[in-house]
Amino acid sequence: MNVDIIKGASCGFCSGVMRAIKLAREAAQGDVRVYTLGPVIHNPQVVESLEKSNIISVDDIKGLSGGDTVLIRSHGITEELEEEIRRKKLNIIDATCPKVKRAQRICTNLAENYSKVFIIGISEHPEVQGILSRGSGRAKVISSLEEAAKEEKFRDAGILVQTTYRTEKFYEIVSELLKKGRVIKIENTICEETITRQEEVSELSLKVDLMYVVGGKNSSNTKRLFESSSKNVTSLYIETPEEISPRQLTGKKRIGIVSGASTPIDTVNRIEERIKKELKKSKKEGKKTK
Ligand code: SF4
């Protein structure tokens, strides 16, 4: 039996992650160490390889002193932390994704013009925290439809959204908030690359009978892709090729592979190779037992 393996066209890093890694590598030349505030991306394999190149993840700036180099990840950071870094006179490499920067600016503008600002997203996500800090105390995070339903009526508000949020869920929450106020400005700040990935996973998951969703287990955008894919087809959330087992592939005719924004294309290619290898092996074993 021939098995088709279909890899999503947008697999691999998004432009924001690619830029952050490039800036980190360019800065970490010679003896220069670059400290990133938290892992530069949500992918343990890449973080490990960056450490070997002097790009070290730290939880906070307490242990750093003047002259040390700090890289701000593509998610961005809070305004307070940015001020603290400047006060400490650390060298800053700002790798905040331009699309996240735009969302931060929009939040500031909405807070200047509306009495409330709702940021739809995962409240503990660093990107959302960074955006929230720019809302002049008027911004609030809404993480679910239930939270939106509990909101009191309001006169006017601005709404924006985490760049990697699921589009359908964003619309659902916006519809709920629209019932609560009269003057509402909606800014859809979901990035185009996220939309492309989401559309791709929705379409591909209808064409295959097994989907591998590849990404770090703590990557929020990969989780969203997995949720979408699981609605249509058996989906497996994996980080490495070693997680593929022959049992998963039994009887499958079309296998899809999609990846989160912080998954290297190399990992996706190795996963494809592993699937092919396992299929070949089981074909051989099948012939032997006939
Ligand atoms: S997912 Fe979009 S907004 Fe987020 S880092 Fe990548 S390109 Fe930037």
Side-chain angles (χ1 to χ4, degrees):
M1 179 178 71
N2 279 337
V3 180
D4 291 330
I5 302 172
I6 309 168
K7 204 162 60 176
S10 59
C11 279
F13 291 147
C14 68
S15 63
V17 168
M18 214 142 39
R19 178 172 169 268
I21 293 177
K22 184 171 172 271
L23 289 173
R25 287 202 189 279
E26 279 170 5
Q29 298 293 329
D31 291 340
V32 179
R33 273 194 158 193
V34 173
Y35 297 96
T36 66
L37 294 170
V40 72
I41 56 167
H42 289 143
N43 184 292
Q45 291 74 36
V46 176
V47 170
E48 213 177 287
S49 107
L50 290 173
E51 267 176 21
K52 289 180 190 141
S53 309
N54 252 350
I55 300 160
I56 315 290
S57 163
V58 289
D59 292 335
D60 52 52
I61 58 168
K62 279 187 204 136
L64 306 184
S65 49
D68 282 339
T69 301
V70 166
L71 178 123
I72 300 176
R73 306 181 291 177
S74 53
H75 300 315
I77 54 173
T78 63
E79 216 167 36
E80 295 76 26
L81 183 55
E82 205 171 318
E83 274 162 26
E84 213 181 315
I85 293 173
R86 290 190 202 286
R87 264 201 308 275
K88 259 194 144 178
K89 299 201 183 332
L90 304 175
N91 298 321
I92 303 179
I93 302 165
D94 190 356
T96 309
C97 174
K99 290 158 192 165
V100 174
K101 278 256 185 222
R102 179 175 167 266
Q104 292 175 346
R105 278 195 304 273
I106 286 176
C107 186
T108 306
N109 288 340
L110 290 175
E112 279 165 10
N113 293 296
Y114 296 88
S115 51
K116 278 184 176 226
V117 178
F118 295 111
I119 304 161
I120 300 176
I122 298 158
S123 56
E124 63 276 16
H125 193 282
E127 177 195 315
V128 174
Q129 287 298 315
I131 296 172
L132 180 67
S133 71
R134 285 156 176 95
S136 314
R138 271 196 282 285
K140 175 178 187 180
V141 181
I142 300 282
S143 297
S144 65
L145 194 57
E146 293 70 35
E147 276 182 36
K150 280 186 201 145
E151 272 304 308
E152 303 272 311
K153 293 232 182 267
F154 52 83
R155 191 174 55 86
D156 63 282
I159 303 176
L160 75 159
V161 55
Q162 185 177 347
T163 59
T164 51
Y165 210 67
R166 227 174 68 212
T167 314
E168 305 154 36
K169 216 171 147 195
F170 167 60
Y171 290 150
E172 269 173 31
I173 296 177
V174 166
S175 311
E176 187 59 41
L177 290 172
L178 283 172
K179 298 176 195 162
K180 311 273 176 175
R182 279 191 295 131
V183 185
I184 301 182
K185 167 94 173 163
I186 302 162
E187 294 274 7
N188 184 349
T189 43
I190 298 177
C191 101
E192 313 87 73
E193 292 180 50
T194 300
I195 295 170
T196 306
R197 269 173 217 265
Q198 287 175 351
E199 286 174 352
E200 191 172 70
V201 79
S202 300
E203 283 168 27
L204 190 55
S205 57
L206 292 171
K207 294 181 187 157
V208 296
D209 47 17
L210 173 66
M211 179 80 92
Y212 284 104
V213 182
V214 190
K217 295 278 157 66
N218 49 359
S219 153
S220 104
N221 75 85
T222 314
K223 279 183 202 157
R224 301 286 89 71
L225 295 179
F226 178 68
E227 280 168 18
S228 301
S229 179
S230 302
K231 280 187 188 165
N232 298 331
V233 69
T234 305
S235 304
L236 297 168
Y237 191 154
I238 61 168
E239 242 176 47
T240 62
E242 289 68 39
E243 290 166 72
I244 294 169
S245 76
R247 207 147 44 96
Q248 297 161 0
L249 307 169
T250 311
K252 305 297 182 212
K253 292 190 182 101
R254 303 192 96 194
I255 300 167
I257 311 173
V258 290
S259 89
S262 52
T263 306
I265 191 68
D266 173 56
T267 306
V268 177
N269 291 339
R270 285 192 297 118
I271 281 167
E272 186 184 12
E273 283 315 307
R274 177 69 179 247
I275 297 171
K276 284 183 184 164
K277 207 169 135 192
E278 292 297 347
L279 289 169
K280 219 167 152 184
K281 227 163 60 184
S282 44
K283 207 171 169 183
K284 260 191 197 165
E285 280 162 13
K287 271 185 190 165
K288 266 191 226 160
T289 52
K290 271 183 192 167

